[in-house]
């Protein structure tokens, strides 16, 4: 059967599944389990939209790189000799070998391990041994990938014609990040965690706090009333809500004084690059994700002189969220590996002058989110096992899970757009 006919049949099946989806409910099982939908996700979502891959703090010096893998794709996010960011396909232009193995580090040049073709960190081919006399090196540079840095957060787009919605989103969210000065930060710790679930279950899990009672460490500082409509706060969280309101009032006063952007803006499923941004108060001491809320890093980010600035949180569809406090920042990248396997890369960033062992301790800095990530990974795994059971029927989201529904709306809308474009070809 020709490939176009197979694709047409697959698309009809996907259209049928989309039609079966009930808004306000979790997705039909194949969206989480099928190989075909997973391939479609890589094409329609990860191949077309702006994907967060790393922050500039991960590649501070020329030659510094980090590899980013999703599906069959491997990218090199690298700082070139002119100190510019480059994003390159990690595929040799000779016979296609992977150039760098997964990980991060620093290189002088990029040397393919197979026949030693050698590229500068900006991807320019500078050496191909014993090539023919008429071989033109300039035609065999590493392939570049479109990217955009939002306040030091690097997003890539694999499409030949990347959508430009990121420009407007950047102009809206950049003021929130300005004073945190991510470009003067460094990595304190990065942890890759494999979750045994579909990437969408990872994202869905992150968009609700309905399960936050199950995060005792996070709950010391994170107001677990997050996402609940004002008139639907459960009785056992009423007191927490009172504390939230008073902490929010104090934070708002401070933000106005310091010209810090704080207002919530939520456009999760109403634009091409869905996003949400807001600065919100933390519980306890209100400074950071510790067990008491006290700061975890003595040297604060940027030029901050006050540690009690809550958390600036942003979420972008389809694979990113972050929390920026006064003392450190945490970024999360969600990278699909297989229908039931997802990599969650968590990166803790501190001021470039903060000294480990003096200004901060890595175990303490990472404790709350290491525990929280492990708990979330267990939930995602349970959900994946459940949706794989033939007895699974999509269930209703409760009101405080409206952002999960918004994620699914965004996802289904982008699939439809992609299928429409294919049908029109
Ligand atoms: S495949 Fe890279 S040098 Fe041959
Ligand atoms: Fe969670």
């Amino acid at each position: 059967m020709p490939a176009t006919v197979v694709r047409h049949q697959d698309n009809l099946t996907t259209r049928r599944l989309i039609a079966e989806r009930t808004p306000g409910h979790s997705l039909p099982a194949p969206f989480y389990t099928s190989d075909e939908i997973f391939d479609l996700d890589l094409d329609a979502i990860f191949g077309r939209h702006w994907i967060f891959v790393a922050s500039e703090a991960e590649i501070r010096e020329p030659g510094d790189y980090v590899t980013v893998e999703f599906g069959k794709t491997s990218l090199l996010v690298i700082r070139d000799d002119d100190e510019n960011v480059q994003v390159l396909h990690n595929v040799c232009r000779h016979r296609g070998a992977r150039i760098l193995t997964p990980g991060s580090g620093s290189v002088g040049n990029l040397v393919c391990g197979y026949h030693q073709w050698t590229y500068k960190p900006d991807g320019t081919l500078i050496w191909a041994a014993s090539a023919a006399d008429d071989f033109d090196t300039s035609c065999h540079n590493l392939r570049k990938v479109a990217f955009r840095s939002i306040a030091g957060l690097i997003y890539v787009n694999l499409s030949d014609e990347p959508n430009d919605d990121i420009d407007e989103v950047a102009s809206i969210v950049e003021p929130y990040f300005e004073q945190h000065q991510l470009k003067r930060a460094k990595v304190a710790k990065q942890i890759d965690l494999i979750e045994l679930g579909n990437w969408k279950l990872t994202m869905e899990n992150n968009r609700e706090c309905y399960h936050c009672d199950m995060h005792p460490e996070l709950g010391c500082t994170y107001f677990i009333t997050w996402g609940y409509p004002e008139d639907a706060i459960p009785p056992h969280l009423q007191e927490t809500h009172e504390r939230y309101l008073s902490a929010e009032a104090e934070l708002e006063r401070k933000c106005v004084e310091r010209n810090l952007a704080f207002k919530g803006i939520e456009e999760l499923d109403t634009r091409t690059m869905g996003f949400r941004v807001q600065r919100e108060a933390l519980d306890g001491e209100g400074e950071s994700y510790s067990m008491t809320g006290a700061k975890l890093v003595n040297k604060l980010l940027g030029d901050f002189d006050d540690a009690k600035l809550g958390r600036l949180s942003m979420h972008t569809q389809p694979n990113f969220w972050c929390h920026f406090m006064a003392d450190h920042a945490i970024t999360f990248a969600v990278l699909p590996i297989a229908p039931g396997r997802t990599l969650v890369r968590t990166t803790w960033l501190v001021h470039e002058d903060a000294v480990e062992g003096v200004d901060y301790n890595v175990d303490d800095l990472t404790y709350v989110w290491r525990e929280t990530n492990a708990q979330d990974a267990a939930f995602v795994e349970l959900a994946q096992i459940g949706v794989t059971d033939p007895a699974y029927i999509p269930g209703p989201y409760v009101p405080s899970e409206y952002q999960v529904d918004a994620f699914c709306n965004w996802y289904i809308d982008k699939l439809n757009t992609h299928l429409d474009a294919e049908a029109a070809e």
Side-chain angles (χ1 to χ4, degrees):
M1 211 184 299
T4 48
V5 176
V6 173
R7 193 180 72 185
H8 185 61
Q9 285 176 346
D10 284 351
N11 288 355
L12 284 178
T13 310
T14 309
R15 293 278 199 193
R16 227 177 3 252
L17 283 169
I18 289 174
E20 276 172 26
R21 180 237 174 184
T22 311
H25 286 65
S26 57
L27 297 171
F31 284 108
Y32 304 116
T33 58
S34 116
D35 288 332
E36 289 73 27
I37 300 271
F38 182 74
D39 289 345
L40 179 64
D41 286 357
L42 292 174
D43 198 4
I45 305 297
F46 283 80
R48 297 280 183 282
H49 291 276
W50 289 98
I51 306 301
F52 171 78
V53 288
S55 75
E56 292 198 38
E58 293 172 54
I59 47 165
R60 288 164 52 81
E61 303 292 333
D64 286 358
Y65 73 89
V66 56
T67 74
V68 179
E69 281 77 28
F70 47 90
K72 295 184 178 71
T73 297
S74 175
L75 303 177
L76 295 173
V77 184
I78 189 165
R79 181 80 61 180
D80 72 17
D81 294 338
D82 295 324
E83 303 196 0
N84 295 314
V85 174
Q86 300 283 347
V87 183
L88 308 166
H89 282 287
N90 188 10
V91 179
C92 182
R93 289 298 308 279
H94 177 217
R95 282 164 53 198
R98 274 278 176 271
I99 297 172
L100 293 180
T101 51
S104 59
S106 195
V107 290
N109 287 312
L110 297 161
V111 183
C112 178
Y114 201 171
H115 313 93
Q116 285 72 54
W117 280 29
T118 301
Y119 307 85
K120 291 205 305 188
D122 68 1
T124 307
L125 178 64
I126 51 172
W127 173 248
S130 311
D133 290 343
D134 60 352
F135 177 73
D136 184 353
T137 52
S138 70
C139 294
H140 296 84
N141 297 330
L142 292 179
R143 294 182 64 196
K144 294 193 179 196
V145 176
F147 72 91
R148 175 85 152 82
S149 174
I150 298 182
L153 301 167
I154 303 167
Y155 288 79
V156 302
N157 193 310
L158 296 183
S159 165
D160 292 336
E161 293 175 14
N163 71 74
D164 60 6
D165 196 33
I166 194 167
D167 294 335
E168 191 174 306
V169 172
S171 71
I172 297 169
V173 304
E174 271 176 340
Y176 288 76
F177 290 91
E178 210 171 333
Q179 293 188 43
H180 294 267
Q181 298 188 29
L182 189 56
K183 287 178 184 171
R184 286 171 62 205
K186 66 176 179 183
V187 175
K189 184 74 178 173
Q190 183 167 78
I191 296 179
D192 282 356
L193 173 71
I194 305 284
E195 295 193 351
L196 299 179
N198 186 267
W199 69 274
K200 296 188 288 293
L201 290 177
T202 300
M203 294 305 290
E204 290 178 28
N205 175 68
N206 177 260
R207 285 300 81 201
E208 47 93 357
C209 219
Y210 191 33
H211 70 276
C212 279
D213 278 329
M214 311 308 284
H215 287 314
E217 298 83 6
L218 185 68
C220 292
T221 52
Y222 194 95
F223 285 104
I224 62 175
T225 44
W226 185 82
Y228 282 92
E230 181 83 24
D231 57 356
I233 309 283
H236 78 285
L237 294 180
Q238 257 328 316
E239 253 184 64
T240 307
H241 185 54
E242 297 302 320
R243 282 203 310 284
Y244 170 75
L245 291 177
S246 118
E248 275 289 287
E250 184 191 337
L251 178 65
E252 190 172 326
R253 272 196 306 277
K254 207 177 267 190
C255 288
V256 171
E257 262 170 42
R258 293 172 172 267
N259 201 23
L260 273 172
F262 64 94
K263 286 209 165 78
I265 302 178
E266 190 170 287
E267 299 186 38
L268 287 166
D269 58 355
T270 49
R271 63 188 307 148
T272 308
M273 186 177 179
F275 77 97
R276 183 183 199 286
V277 68
Q278 188 171 16
R279 190 184 304 274
E280 288 184 87
L282 287 168
D283 206 352
E285 300 290 320
E287 297 176 348
S288 197
Y289 281 125
S290 58
M291 297 301 283
T292 61
K295 68 183 177 187
L296 292 158
V297 186
N298 285 323
K299 175 82 187 151
L300 302 181
L301 292 175
D303 298 315
F304 286 135
D305 57 7
D306 183 346
K308 193 173 179 180
L309 298 176
R311 60 175 175 90
L312 164 62
S313 301
M314 182 167 80
H315 174 94
T316 54
Q317 315 284 30
N319 85 319
F320 174 73
W321 68 89
C322 65
H323 300 291
F324 279 53
M325 284 65 64
D327 69 334
H328 75 287
I330 319 176
T331 64
F332 301 78
V334 173
L335 302 165
I337 299 170
R341 283 173 77 81
T342 302
L343 187 143
V344 177
R345 176 167 290 171
T346 307
T347 309
W348 287 262
L349 304 164
V350 296
H351 192 287
E352 60 188 356
D353 296 334
V355 179
E356 185 181 347
V358 177
D359 293 308
Y360 67 97
N361 169 303
V362 170
D363 281 348
D364 293 342
L365 178 69
T366 57
Y367 177 70
V368 166
W369 276 100
R370 272 187 293 122
E371 293 298 307
T372 305
N373 281 350
Q375 291 148 7
D376 281 330
F379 293 133
V380 167
E381 184 177 354
L382 284 177
Q384 183 72 22
I385 293 168
V387 298
T388 307
D389 189 317
Y392 166 71
I393 301 170
Y397 297 130
V398 303
S400 70
E401 292 176 298
Y402 76 96
Q403 290 190 38
V404 185
D405 196 37
F407 167 74
C408 293
N409 289 340
W410 180 90
Y411 166 74
I412 291 290
D413 179 58
K414 302 315 170 228
L415 282 195
N416 271 326
T417 304
H418 177 75
L419 295 175
D420 289 346
E422 277 202 335
E425 272 173 17

